[in-house]
Amino acid sequence: AQSVTQLDSQVPVFEEAPVELRCNYSSSVSVYLFWYVQYPNQGLQLLLKYLSGSTLVESINGFEAEFNKSQTSFHLRKPSVHISDTAEYFCAVSDVHTGGGNKLTFGTGTQLKVEL
Amino acid sequence: DGGITQSPKYLFRKEGQNVTLSCEQNLNHDAMYWYRQDPGQGLRLIYYSQIVNDFQKGDIAEGYSVSREKKESFPLTVTSAQKNPTAFYLCASSISWDSTYEQYFGPGTRLTVT
């Protein structure tokens, strides 16, 4: 069985400061990794994903995440946050193998609050 | 505009009543999903459908039922057997059941049962 741990339920940060949202996973098989963002009272939007290849993946709005297999982590970072980044961020994993299908296991989420 | 629509945005029901949440997609996706979101618990999978006329239970299917008679529609019924139905419900879809494909989410329905 898979599990995803997001240890920080809330992360307050000042605008233009760097931020890191932590994600660790546990799985007996190879996984794909995802970060989703949720704005208040809305659905989730995919921020970025790791399927294979380069372990560093980037989003169009300046976020990046690095897959670290030895530490089973996929932390999300941004060098300089903006007020509009205030949202809840979810880390998720799915099985690489076809048998597992497209079944996502989500972490409990991290609320990023950017302050002036 | 292609996407997923869920209606209504807010839904109120009395305890003991069944209620059906709508989910429609015009993305021509084969796979569809229903998740439940509770504060501090992330998203949990209720039911999923890999293809039309087929569906399977997810991790928390008790007290819920679904149908998939059309490719674009995947309604969820919350029955009176669901002990804690008040939650935010999210519908999603993906091109196929293959795990390399992104899941696209609808805007959600907030259900309150009193």
Side-chain angles (χ1 to χ4, degrees), chain A residues 22-69:
Chain A
R22 295 180 292 168
C23 172
N24 288 88
Y25 69 92
S26 172
S27 177
S28 58
V29 299
S30 297
V31 297
Y32 295 135
L33 294 150
F34 306 83
W35 275 100
Y36 282 86
V37 58
Q38 184 180 36
Y39 299 100
N41 292 311
Q42 294 186 27
L44 275 67
Q45 303 170 33
L46 182 68
L47 193 58
L48 45 76
K49 62 183 177 183
Y50 171 78
L51 301 181
S52 64
S54 172
T55 57
L56 184 66
V57 290
E58 299 177 350
S59 72
I60 57 172
N61 56 354
F63 283 94
E64 64 179 31
E66 186 159 21
F67 169 50
N68 188 319
K69 189 174 182 179

Side-chain angles (χ1 to χ4, degrees), chain B residues 29-94:
Chain B
H29 286 175
D30 279 328
M32 297 187 74
Y33 315 79
W34 273 106
Y35 293 90
R36 170 184 173 135
Q37 185 177 16
D38 296 283
Q41 293 194 46
L43 279 74
R44 292 179 289 169
L45 183 64
I46 304 172
Y47 266 97
Y48 62 94
S49 168
Q50 296 182 41
I51 201 163
V52 66
N53 292 321
D54 175 76
F55 51 83
Q56 284 87 38
K57 293 181 180 179
D59 300 320
I60 56 164
E62 185 175 349
Y64 300 97
S65 66
V66 293
S67 63
R68 186 84 188 279
E69 297 174 1
K70 298 187 293 183
K71 186 175 185 177
E72 60 270 24
S73 179
F74 191 41
L76 173 75
T77 297
V78 184
T79 75
S80 56
Q82 168 51 232
K83 294 178 181 173
N84 295 297
T86 294
F88 190 47
Y89 290 88
L90 288 160
C91 178
S93 71
S94 61

Side-chain angles (χ1 to χ4, degrees), chain A residues 32 34 36 38 41-46 49 51 88 90 94-109, chain B residues 9-10 33 35 37 40-43 45 48 58-59 88 90 94 96-108 110:
Chain A
Y32 295 135
F34 306 83
Y36 282 86
Q38 184 180 36
N41 292 311
Q42 294 186 27
L44 275 67
Q45 303 170 33
L46 182 68
K49 62 183 177 183
L51 301 181
E88 189 152 24
F90 291 93
S94 66
D95 272 351
V96 169
H97 300 295
T98 305
N102 204 345
K103 186 178 175 184
L104 288 172
T105 299
F106 285 88
T108 52
Chain B
K9 191 172 177 66
Y10 299 95
Y33 315 79
Y35 293 90
Q37 185 177 16
Q41 293 194 46
L43 279 74
L45 183 64
Y48 62 94
D59 300 320
F88 190 47
L90 288 160
S94 61
S96 80
W97 181 236
D98 188 309
S99 56
T100 58
Y101 291 108
E102 172 188 351
Q103 291 188 24
Y104 293 80
F105 284 81
R110 189 168 297 279

Side-chain angles (χ1 to χ4, degrees), chain A residues 59-99:
Chain A
S59 72
I60 57 172
N61 56 354
F63 283 94
E64 64 179 31
E66 186 159 21
F67 169 50
N68 188 319
K69 189 174 182 179
S70 63
Q71 297 186 8
T72 60
S73 67
F74 191 54
H75 300 330
L76 182 70
R77 303 183 184 95
K78 189 170 185 179
S80 176
V81 295
H82 189 267
I83 284 284
S84 59
D85 293 323
T86 295
E88 189 152 24
Y89 292 80
F90 291 93
C91 183
V93 302
S94 66
D95 272 351
V96 169
H97 300 295
T98 305

